[in-house]
Each structure stands twice: as C-alpha cells, then as structure tokens.
C-alpha cells in the first residue's frame, strides 16, 4: 500500500511499463511529491541506494490529465492503472486491488491542484527527454503531441534488475512469491510468510535487500528468491522479541522493525507500514505457536509462587 514518509510524500512500489507498448513491467519505487509537483521513480527505495543516486523516471504533475483503472484496457496486466499525460500513457501495476484504488485516488487528488496555467500551450513538435539511468544520460526523441513539452524521463536499461525488476519474459511476479525450491509441497514445515525486506549488515552497517522466509521453526534470509542456500537461519527459539524499532528516527528509516535474539539485534526495513506490521505479527505468532501460548503466563505464575 502507498504510505506517507517522513517528508510527507506518498511512496511505495509499483510495476511500470517504461517502454511504451512493450508489455514489459519493471519493479520501481515511486515517490509522489506534491510540494515539488512531481512523480519520480527509482530502482529501489532511495534509502537503500548509494547517496546521490538519481531517479530513473520522472513526470511533472501539471501534465497529468487523468489517472484511472486500466484492467479492461490491459486484461493480461493484473491490477493495472493508467496515467494520461498528453499523448503518452503510462501503464502501471499495483500490488493488489486496494493498492490500485489508493494510488489512483492519491494521484488524482495530487493533480487537482496542479492544473496547467492558462498561458501554457500545446506543442506539436518532437519532444526530447533526457534519460538518466544510474548516472548515464542520453537523448531520446518522441514524435508525439504533448502539453508544453512534457518532460518525460524513461529508461531502456535492463541490466541489473534482479529482484527489483521483472524477468526477461516480462511476466510480473506477485508480491511475496515463494522461491521455486521452497514451495509448500516440497517442505516438511509450512511457510508462514515470505518476501523482500532490507536488512542492516552486522559489521559494515550497510543496508541490503534480502529475501526473507518465515516457517514454523525459523526466519531465514537469502540473497534473492532464486538462491537455494540461505545466508543465515535465525531459529525462533533464539528470538527474545520482535517489535517496531524505537531507533527508527535516529536511523532515518521508515517501516523499520527489530528482531532481538540472544546474540544480536537485527534491524529490518519493510516496503510499507502494512508489511512491517505483517512481519511483526507473523513472527510473533510463529513464536507463540512454537513455544505455546501458556508458557509466558506459566513463567510469571512460577515467579509469583516463589515469592
């Protein structure tokens, strides 16, 4: 779901068809900034990218005429909506129906107060947009009719999509999809929750996106959802508590929670508040299921009887 960050901007992940009519959707992190009057998208949450990394796409809000549901226009693209900007249409995919409704509403509300000034004219010539992908810029020409030379920035970069992009076939991967080798049918224990989060390193203190998987006995994380061996397995019996991080303000991280174990505290960032609370609830529930709901109560009773 889109959420409001510390700078009062609406943010979240969406899939976008960057190359018009290509049918290929790529995973991007979007920021709707009404103060700046723009919608920009990055390869990942800028908090997880090297400082100074530029966005890969941008669109001024004054050029957006309408945002609407596009499931009938693109029946093969699930939870699809379209942004109309001059003669260019941007097709995007939300994570689910509610995510679609909230993004459409947020974008339409944002553009209501940024209508073009009466003095602006319609340009009928070729518009040139600067493409800036990971610091590499080049000129791309669009022969189309646009409003006041729409500054549309797109990218043809396909390298390095990894878990944040789409596969080469252009098929969209549903959020939280399990790795092919960790399907429920192939595991003795059931998978409770799985998906990407960002984790702080133990030594370098850098932040890297990892694929997390929670089952009945442990929380594991992998380099990606295609890896066979986990980078680490955290047994639930070693987890003392899981909660929203109290140091999130100091770390300047949104949607941050902490997993406190007997040996270390893990700091993990989710993509949205809903995801953060979902992970906390899932991990807490798995711990209770493993240890038994009466264990903590019984411990308190024993302590009382002793005194």
């Amino acid at each position: 779901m889109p959420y409001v960050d510390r700078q009062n901007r609406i943010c979240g992940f969406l899939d976008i068809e960057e190359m018009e009519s290509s049918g290929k959707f790529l995973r991007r992190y979007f920021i709707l900034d009404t103060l700046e009057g723009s919608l920009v998208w990055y390869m990942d949450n800028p908090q997880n990218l090297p400082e100074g990394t530029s966005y890969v796409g941008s669109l001024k809000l004054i050029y957006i005429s309408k945002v609407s549901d596009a499931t009938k226009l693109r029946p093969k693209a699930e939870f699809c909506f379209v942004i109309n900007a001059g003669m260019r249409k941007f097709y995007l995919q939300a994570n689910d129906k509610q995510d679609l409704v909230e993004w459409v509403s947020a974008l339409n509300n944002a553009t209501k107060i940024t209508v073009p000034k009466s003095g602006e004219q319609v340009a009928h010539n070729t518009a040139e947009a600067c493409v800036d992908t990971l610091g590499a810029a080049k000129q791309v020409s669009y022969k189309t009719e646009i409003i006041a030379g729409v500054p549309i920035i797109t990218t043809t970069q396909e390298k390095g999509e990894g878990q944040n992009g789409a596969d080469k076939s252009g098929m969209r991967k549903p959020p939280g999809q399990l790795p092919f080798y960790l399907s429920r049918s192939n595991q003795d224990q059931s998978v409770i929750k799985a998906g990407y989060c960002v984790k702080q390193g133990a030594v370098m203190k850098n932040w890297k996106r990892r694929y997390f998987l929670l089952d009945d006995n442990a929380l594991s994380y992998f380099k990606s959802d295609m890896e066979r061996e986990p980078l680490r397995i955290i047994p639930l019996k070693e987890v003392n508590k899981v909660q929203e991080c109290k140091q999130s303000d100091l770390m300047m991280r949104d949607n941050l929670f902490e997993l406190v174990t007997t040996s270390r505290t893990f700091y993990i960032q989710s993509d949205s508040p809903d995801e953060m609370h979902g992970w906390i609830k899932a991990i807490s529930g798995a711990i209770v299921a493993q240890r038994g709901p009466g264990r903590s109560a019984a411990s308190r009773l024993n302590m009382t009887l002793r005194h």
Side-chain angles (χ1 to χ4, degrees), residues 14 90 135 159 180 183 187 205 229 246 262:
L14 293 167
F90 289 87
K159 184 179 180 181
F180 68 93
S183 62
Q187 296 294 304
K205 303 300 180 183
E229 298 296 329
K246 298 177 180 179
T262 53

Side-chain angles (χ1 to χ4, degrees), residues 155-205:
T155 177
T156 57
Q157 183 79 11
E158 295 185 7
K159 184 179 180 181
E161 293 301 332
Q163 65 268 27
N164 297 323
D167 58 32
K168 293 186 180 299
S169 66
M171 297 297 291
R172 180 170 178 266
K173 185 180 294 184
Q177 181 177 1
L178 302 181
F180 68 93
Y181 60 92
L182 285 172
S183 62
R184 291 179 183 268
S185 60
N186 295 331
Q187 296 294 304
D188 294 331
Q189 67 272 28
S190 62
V191 174
I192 299 172
K193 186 174 176 61
Y196 280 98
C197 292
V198 178
K199 184 189 71 68
Q200 186 185 54
V203 180
M204 300 298 293
K205 303 300 180 183

Side-chain angles (χ1 to χ4, degrees), residues 25 73 88 107 139 143-144 195 209-210 222 261 272 276:
F25 289 80
L73 297 175
R88 172 72 196 268
L107 286 164
Q139 296 297 314
K143 289 187 177 180
T144 182
R209 185 168 288 272
R210 296 291 184 237
F222 304 74
T261 71
S272 70
M276 177 190 69

Side-chain angles (χ1 to χ4, degrees), residues 60 62-64 85-87 115-128 144-152:
K60 288 293 184 181
I62 60 172
Y63 303 122
I64 298 177
M87 295 299 290
V115 295
K117 297 179 182 178
S118 58
E120 290 181 334
Q121 299 178 347
V122 177
H124 297 270
N125 59 339
T126 298
E128 292 189 345
T144 182
E145 181 181 63
I146 63 174
I147 302 175
V150 180
I152 300 171

Side-chain angles (χ1 to χ4, degrees), residues 3 48 80 153 172 183 213 277 303:
Y3 69 95
N48 308 323
C80 186
I153 303 174
R172 180 170 178 266
S183 62
L213 188 145
H277 293 303
M303 290 294 293

Side-chain angles (χ1 to χ4, degrees), residues 168-288:
K168 293 186 180 299
S169 66
M171 297 297 291
R172 180 170 178 266
K173 185 180 294 184
Q177 181 177 1
L178 302 181
F180 68 93
Y181 60 92
L182 285 172
S183 62
R184 291 179 183 268
S185 60
N186 295 331
Q187 296 294 304
D188 294 331
Q189 67 272 28
S190 62
V191 174
I192 299 172
K193 186 174 176 61
Y196 280 98
C197 292
V198 178
K199 184 189 71 68
Q200 186 185 54
V203 180
M204 300 298 293
K205 303 300 180 183
N206 54 345
W207 296 81
K208 292 185 178 180
R209 185 168 288 272
R210 296 291 184 237
Y211 189 81
F212 284 78
L213 188 145
L214 173 66
D215 59 41
D216 294 334
N217 299 308
L219 177 68
S220 307
Y221 58 86
F222 304 74
K223 189 173 182 180
S224 76
D225 60 355
M226 297 302 291
E227 294 295 322
R228 293 181 177 276
E229 298 296 329
L231 296 173
R232 181 161 184 160
I233 299 175
I234 307 171
L236 294 181
K237 64 182 180 181
E238 296 182 5
V239 178
N240 295 326
K241 62 180 176 180
V242 55
Q243 63 186 12
E244 188 171 352
C245 183
K246 298 177 180 179
Q247 302 182 54
S248 58
D249 289 336
L250 296 176
M251 294 185 175
M252 295 301 293
R253 292 265 162 178
D254 296 310
N255 318 317
L256 190 67
F257 68 96
E258 57 186 12
L259 189 75
V260 182
T261 71
T262 53
S263 60
R264 171 187 165 190
T265 297
F266 293 85
Y267 294 102
I268 305 169
Q269 182 185 20
S270 301
D271 290 340
S272 70
D274 288 343
E275 272 294 295
M276 177 190 69
H277 293 303
W279 276 108
I280 293 174
K281 182 178 179 180
I283 296 171
S284 299
I287 292 173
V288 170

